[in-house]
Amino acid sequence: MLKKNFEEVEAKIQAACDRVGRKREEVTLIAVSKTKPVELIQEAYDLGARIFGENKVQEIVDKYDELPDDIAWHMIGHLQRNKVKYIVDKVAMIHSVDSLRLAEAIEKEASKKETVVDILIEVNVAKEDTKFGVMPEDAAGLILQISKMPHIRVRGLMTIAPFVDNPEDNRGYFRRLRNLAVDIGENKSDNVTMSVLSMGMTNDYEIAIEEGATMVRVGTGLFGARSYR
Ligand SMILES: *Cc1c(COP(=O)(O)O)cnc(C)c1O
């Protein structure tokens, strides 16, 4: 089941790359393992997966201890400032930075632990009331302020597109995020690159790849439906 799912997602990523003339290596698959038990994650690891996405601090901390060291954990969920300290030296990237205060908390904890953290700025590109993320027009200003923090590297942008029946409906939002990254990239601040575009989930990752995604975050398509406790 898991093997077949990974093969299916892999084939779809390759096909999306082919459709727009992109190289497969330009797209990183993040296996979103939130709510899934370590046994299942170990199975995915044994199939070759090394990059996993989680959205809760406690789950990252627990799984980090139980699973192999060479896993790159990506924090993709909303992050509270008082919990930054638990994961700042455990994660390869934080995708969900959307305020100066959160960035300041990351800077402080990263400095204490003498590490440098790669982050993405989460943009609420569809301006949905229910979503976290900075408004598109505020992203450049926020990044300029964060660029002065020596223990943070801004690597790009992330978005969670609206939940839609037809993934084509999200194409415009993905395009908007890419254009925003291009605009911000022209500012050329220290500690800032716009090389990562984290966009696309199970429902819409193929469209996201066609529109330039460099990281897709796929949960259900790999691990099956989630049951929340
Ligand atoms: C859960 C989650 C995903 C994966 O969602 P699926 O629809 O299961 O692929 C991707 N990104 C974020 C931020 C998530 O919280």
Side-chain angles (χ1 to χ4, degrees):
M1 159 85 165
L2 199 60
K3 184 160 188 284
K4 191 170 144 281
N5 289 350
F6 269 84
E7 283 168 359
E8 215 169 276
V9 169
E10 182 54 43
K12 286 181 178 171
I13 291 174
Q14 183 66 61
C17 287
D18 290 347
R19 282 197 292 279
V20 292
R22 299 184 65 197
K23 293 200 189 75
R24 172 63 186 88
E25 308 85 81
E26 292 173 30
V27 180
T28 300
L29 171 63
I30 299 177
V32 177
S33 50
K34 65 191 188 195
T35 78
K36 298 297 177 184
V38 290
E39 294 76 20
L40 193 65
I41 301 173
Q42 181 68 50
E43 242 183 87
Y45 179 94
D46 294 339
L47 292 171
R50 292 292 179 274
I51 306 171
F52 294 91
E54 289 283 342
N55 69 340
K56 294 222 159 62
V57 165
Q58 189 59 51
E59 258 186 274
I60 293 182
V61 170
D62 292 345
K63 290 171 176 175
Y64 182 91
D65 281 338
E66 291 187 53
L67 286 156
D69 287 342
D70 62 341
I71 288 177
W73 294 100
H74 285 239
M75 175 57 182
I76 61 175
H78 181 62
L79 180 57
Q80 287 170 291
R81 282 176 288 136
N82 61 346
K83 293 189 175 165
V84 168
K85 58 177 175 285
Y86 301 115
I87 57 157
V88 76
D89 56 349
K90 292 187 169 64
V91 295
M93 188 173 273
I94 300 172
H95 290 230
S96 44
V97 179
D98 63 357
S99 73
L100 185 60
R101 292 175 77 202
L102 175 57
E104 282 167 349
I106 294 170
E107 168 63 24
K108 184 171 148 220
E109 295 302 328
S111 163
K112 271 193 211 163
K113 299 213 159 86
E114 298 183 0
T115 187
V116 176
V117 187
D118 284 335
I119 69 157
L120 304 178
I121 302 301
E122 180 173 352
V123 181
N124 186 354
V125 78
K127 304 194 173 185
E128 292 178 282
D129 292 339
T130 52
K131 292 257 166 76
F132 292 107
V134 68
M135 287 295 146
E137 59 271 24
D138 298 330
L142 175 61
I143 289 169
L144 186 64
Q145 286 177 294
I146 297 176
S147 70
K148 302 185 174 95
M149 301 179 186
H151 300 87
I152 295 182
R153 279 189 302 241
V154 180
R155 283 293 175 244
L157 306 179
M158 177 272 224
T159 199
I160 303 174
F163 187 79
V164 290
D165 287 327
N166 181 0
E168 274 296 337
D169 295 347
N170 282 337
R171 187 181 291 278
Y173 294 125
F174 295 141
R175 197 168 290 177
R176 217 168 288 171
L177 192 75
R178 184 187 53 189
N179 289 339
L180 185 61
V182 169
D183 289 348
I184 292 170
E186 282 166 3
N187 297 343
K188 302 230 184 306
S189 318
D190 288 345
N191 302 322
V192 177
T193 64
M194 284 287 125
S195 46
V196 176
L197 276 181
S198 170
M199 56 187 196
M201 305 170 31
T202 296
N203 194 39
D204 54 18
Y205 67 91
E206 294 157 88
I207 305 284
I209 290 169
E210 290 176 13
E211 295 300 328
T214 69
M215 287 185 182
V216 291
R217 310 179 307 266
V218 180
T220 312
L222 294 171
F223 295 108
R226 286 177 292 275
S227 54
Y228 287 94
R229 287 140 293 173

